[in-house]
Amino acid sequence: MDSSRSLLGLSPRAIASGPRDSTTESVGRLRLLDCDRERGAFSSSFALAGIRGAIALLLVSALARLADLFVFKTRRRRRRKGCGGGGGRRDGGTMRWVVRLSGMCSAAVVMVLLSPSLQTFPPAEAIRSSHYLRFPGGGYNHQLAAAFGDADSFGFRRAPSFNNAAECEPPSANGTSSCDPSLVHVAITLDEGYLRGSMAVVHSVLAHAACPESVFFHFLVSEAGLESLVRSTFPGLRFKAYYFDPDRVRGLISTSVRQALEQPLNYARNYLADILERCVSRVIYLDSDLVVVDDIAKLWRKGLGSRAVGAPEYCHANFTKYFTDRFWSDRRLASAFAGRRPCYFNTGVMVLDLVRWRGAGYTRRIERWMEVQKRGAAPGGPGRIYDLGSLPPFLLVFAGHVAPIEHRWNQHGLGGDNINGSCRDLHPGPVSLLHWSGSGKPWVRLDSNHPCPLDNLWAPYDLYGPAVG
């Protein structure tokens, strides 16, 4: 299958598993949220109307001033011609009030036209105008929207269907079973802030897979209800959702350069070998800020040799910057890399051999390094050993022991750096996966009408927007 084929013209199909989660409590919270949002929208509109009314009054004052100036000049001209002043005052006063009355009427019309609070709109339309369920301080809650049972209210339309090519091995009839050896396994996290990105990842994988019905998705979630959205957007998708308890890792997380990197779900990838069924021996882990533009089965078939992790490596990068001076100055800590040539790799795209992972106990090894960091960062501690989030512990355990995969499978850094989110260009060479790692996300920049050029390559896989009837 041509990896560059367009999304246009593809027939629709979807997949699903798991019972619908729709609690009375969630529905009640959603309705309270609707009332609060409607109240807030009315307050904002009222304030805006007041500003526009003030502008209209200024226009009236300006017109009145022009009328006074007109009368003054008319009097002076008539005095020069020897005319009496009384008639001029009467005529000027009449003219002035005519102009003032006309200005006031015009300003009132302008104020009504410009002020939305003085026009008539149904309250439901005002609420529907924002498809995401927004909260004070930003963000939105898809869990409540899913519990409410109305997927259209937060703007994800149903994806087209994607069917296996003739040469594909037919998958088992049980769409919820992950033990079929013919399946390609993909793991992704689902959370409120990145849900739009996660849906685009799934869409892109299906769009370019030669055997989309043979791809099984494993979704890691920390809240109930999101899987119902997946089901409504991809009705026939083969998937399973797994609850990841944030408390499992919360006590191990230290502060990072960016708050988003401190979210417990970022660390769920460390526990895939424990969470997924034992029959799943290999999985592709994908971040939520990327799109795949090639057949995912090509990545699935990459050989890992004796390694538990396969990923694109970047040995030209300055590896020392991922750890602090305190780490490198402590000979005992720095000896962790003795006997290996460590290279940077991005943990947003990895092929994992779960059998080798389980056998070597890699999850516990990662946790030990997080404990060292936590103790060092504590008040009175010797100091941090790194500043980033979930990446450094992975580097400490695996850097220098990674099965290399072509760079085409992770064109990363498109989100810019971790602070400014500046625009970036593609690395030289072919592309199979585009990754917006960094602080800038394509859906945020597109919505703000300030996208980077490459953000437009993400847009075709975005399923957020008005539902098509």
Side-chain angles (χ1 to χ4, degrees):
M1 177 178 291
D2 183 2
S3 65
S4 63
R5 72 176 185 175
S6 170
L7 291 179
L8 299 177
L10 294 174
S11 53
R13 172 182 225 203
I15 18 202
S17 80
R20 186 179 186 88
D21 183 77
S22 177
T23 63
T24 305
E25 180 184 0
S26 295
V27 173
R29 289 168 61 198
L30 177 62
R31 286 172 179 158
L32 286 174
L33 175 65
D34 285 343
C35 293
D36 289 342
R37 182 171 58 254
E38 185 178 359
R39 216 168 26 238
F42 176 79
S43 299
S44 299
S45 298
F46 186 80
L48 188 59
I51 294 172
R52 288 170 173 165
I55 294 173
L57 290 176
L58 289 175
L59 288 174
V60 172
S61 299
L63 288 171
R65 179 62 180 164
L66 289 174
D68 289 338
L69 186 61
F70 173 78
V71 170
F72 174 76
K73 290 187 175 181
T74 301
R75 287 177 182 170
R76 189 165 58 180
R77 280 198 302 269
R78 291 188 176 182
R79 286 194 188 100
R80 287 175 181 173
K81 293 179 180 180
C83 297
R89 271 195 301 273
R90 278 194 304 272
D91 293 343
T94 301
M95 177 63 70
R96 181 170 56 194
W97 281 108
V98 168
V99 172
R100 283 181 173 174
L101 182 60
S102 175
M104 291 177 67
C105 292
S106 300
V109 171
V110 169
M111 187 169 64
V112 170
L113 290 175
L114 293 181
S115 179
S117 69
L118 297 181
Q119 300 175 19
T120 302
F121 290 109
E125 283 301 313
I127 294 174
R128 294 278 185 174
S129 66
S130 178
H131 294 290
Y132 288 113
L133 301 181
R134 301 194 178 277
F135 285 87
Y140 42 84
N141 193 317
H142 294 288
Q143 177 184 356
L144 294 184
F148 194 70
D150 184 4
D152 291 341
S153 67
F154 46 96
F156 285 99
R157 62 185 180 274
R158 177 171 294 189
S161 66
F162 302 97
N163 303 307
N164 279 359
E167 65 272 14
C168 296
E169 181 180 348
S172 66
N174 186 355
T176 62
S177 174
S178 59
C179 293
D180 185 340
S182 68
L183 296 175
V184 172
H185 296 276
V186 178
I188 306 173
T189 60
L190 288 182
D191 72 304
E192 294 173 8
Y194 283 77
L195 184 56
R196 187 170 171 185
S198 298
M199 303 296 269
V201 176
V202 176
H203 191 192
S204 70
V205 169
L206 297 175
H208 294 284
C211 306
E213 295 174 272
S214 299
V215 180
F216 194 100
F217 289 90
H218 303 266
F219 295 115
L220 306 175
V221 303
S222 291
E223 54 194 314
L226 295 181
E227 60 268 27
S228 63
L229 173 62
V230 175
R231 189 178 306 111
S232 63
T233 307
F234 302 99
L237 193 68
R238 303 171 74 91
F239 78 91
K240 185 173 182 178
Y242 307 79
Y243 177 73
F244 178 74
D245 186 357
D247 291 337
R248 185 171 186 175
V249 72
R250 201 188 306 275
L252 297 172
I253 299 174
S254 56
T255 57
S256 181
V257 296
R258 192 156 53 92
Q259 189 174 7
L261 301 177
E262 302 170 20
Q263 300 306 311
L265 204 58
N266 280 342
Y267 296 82
R269 71 194 84 184
N270 303 358
Y271 299 90
L272 284 169
D274 300 334
I275 296 173
L276 272 55
E277 294 90 340
R278 288 277 169 167
C279 64
V280 180
S281 60
R282 170 184 282 221
V283 68
I284 298 171
Y285 175 81
L286 298 177
D287 268 352
S288 298
D289 53 358
L290 57 81
V291 292
V292 178
V293 293
D294 205 343
D295 187 357
I296 194 70
K298 296 178 183 178
L299 179 58
W300 174 256
R301 291 192 292 265
K302 297 296 180 184
L304 302 185
S306 62
R307 306 303 191 190
V309 175
E313 290 185 296
Y314 302 90
C315 295
H316 63 277
N318 180 8
F319 189 80
T320 61
K321 72 178 183 179
Y322 294 101
F323 301 94
T324 62
D325 291 340
R326 183 243 162 170
F327 174 86
W328 293 114
S329 63
D330 188 320
R331 186 175 302 176
R332 183 178 56 86
L333 294 174
S335 65
F337 295 114
R340 48 179 167 149
R341 182 173 177 263
C343 295
Y344 161 75
F345 67 96
N346 182 280
T347 56
V349 180
M350 298 183 291
V351 182
L352 305 178
D353 184 327
L354 299 182
V355 175
R356 293 185 182 277
W357 185 295
R358 293 169 183 136
Y362 284 127
T363 297
R364 184 57 192 141
R365 295 193 196 183
I366 292 173
E367 287 180 334
R368 287 196 191 103
W369 280 113
M370 295 176 68
E371 291 167 356
V372 172
Q373 161 78 348
K374 191 74 173 179
R375 287 194 299 269
R384 310 168 61 94
I385 62 173
Y386 56 80
D387 291 318
L388 292 173
S390 60
L391 171 63
F394 250 88
L395 296 179
L396 284 161
V397 174
F398 295 108
H401 295 318
V402 173
I405 292 175
E406 302 98 311
H407 290 175
R408 68 185 301 158
W409 284 104
N410 195 351
Q411 287 270 349
H412 70 289
L414 304 185
D417 58 60
N418 277 318
I419 305 298
N420 299 316
S422 54
C423 294
R424 297 283 179 87
D425 293 326
L426 287 174
H427 308 297
V431 179
S432 293
L433 185 149
L434 299 162
H435 188 186
W436 280 262
S437 58
S439 65
K441 301 307 171 189
W443 56 90
V444 175
R445 295 192 295 220
L446 287 164
D447 286 352
S448 66
N449 292 320
H450 295 291
C452 291
L454 293 177
D455 294 347
N456 294 299
L457 299 178
W458 179 89
Y461 305 98
D462 184 16
L463 292 172
Y464 170 70
V468 178

